[in-house]
Amino acid sequence: MIRRAALLLAALWAAPAAYAVECSDAAYAGNRYSICEVDASKEQLRLFLKDGEGQVYGHFSSLEEALAGEGKALAFATNAGMYHTNRSPVGLYIEEGGQAMRLVTNAGPGNFGLLPNGVFCIRKGRADVFETLAFQDLSPVCTHATQSGPMLVIDGELHPRFLPDSDSYYVRNGVGTSADGSRAVFAISRNAVTFHQFGSLFRDHLKLPNALYFDGNISRLHAPQLGRSDAGFMMGPVVGVVEEASSDE
């Protein structure tokens, strides 16, 4: 019994550290991706745009600095939806229950207006991707929400406008959610891909019924597990997981 207890204790000490987010690099159908999965039922998943003085964070480093002042750390982050030149959201944006921009239901220019588009909604204990009109009908109460487009996967089907032989290749990022809202899976391509290829990643590889495109050229990822924190031009909305900062004591 003593020997068994000692072995169990040794195994516990040797167990790998638990992460708030599980990130890994993966290959699928000839393309390379970085994928970060969040347990939305447990983790502090939220959106960020401006600090307490109304200044847009714009960069992961600015957000990290602000969180450090609260004794917190950024476990993961990525840009979360399209924005205007002043970094204000193009569509619906809710942060900590406060709505900064209304839901946009009409078609328009660019990828955002390539209907159907959708909403990433974070609620207590879950996160969901909704097609915009379904979101409008259901009216879920989101603590955080961001609208973007186009939808990548809609109830298990790829967006009807995606072409298998498209020649539009970009680095792309987005999010997909499970039917029960517990899994929020974020992906960014490590090489240029088409919408069809990117949507297929979420539907066929990650097995997620709904997924939403965030952006292309300005796609960024903050994933300490992968030794990665992308810099570049200022971003608009950012989605991330917050955890308590580790102590050196």
Side-chain angles (χ1 to χ4, degrees), residues 108-121:
N111 290 326
F112 182 92
L114 184 63
L115 303 184
N117 56 22
V119 175
F120 178 55
C121 167

Side-chain angles (χ1 to χ4, degrees), residues 2 15 37 76 80 90 103 121 124 127-128 165 186 188 194 217:
I2 295 175
E37 181 162 343
F76 149 84
V90 171
L103 187 72
C121 167
K124 184 178 180 180
D128 299 276
D165 58 352
F186 301 85
I188 182 170
T194 66
N217 278 341

Side-chain angles (χ1 to χ4, degrees), residues 46-49 78-83 87-95 98-99 101-104 112 117-122 128-132 135 142-149 151 174-175 186 212-214 236-240:
R46 56 163 300 186
L47 289 162
F48 303 89
L49 181 57
T78 189
N79 54 294
M82 297 173 188
Y83 51 85
R87 274 64 190 178
S88 63
V90 171
L92 178 70
Y93 186 79
I94 298 172
E95 185 176 327
Q99 182 174 312
M101 176 60 189
R102 64 178 177 83
L103 187 72
V104 176
F112 182 92
N117 56 22
V119 175
F120 178 55
C121 167
I122 302 169
D128 299 276
V129 168
F130 294 98
E131 185 272 325
T132 292
F135 179 89
C142 312
T143 54
H144 296 265
T146 182
Q147 186 181 7
S148 191
M151 288 284 288
V175 61
F186 301 85
L212 179 65
Y213 181 62
F214 277 154
V238 170
V239 61

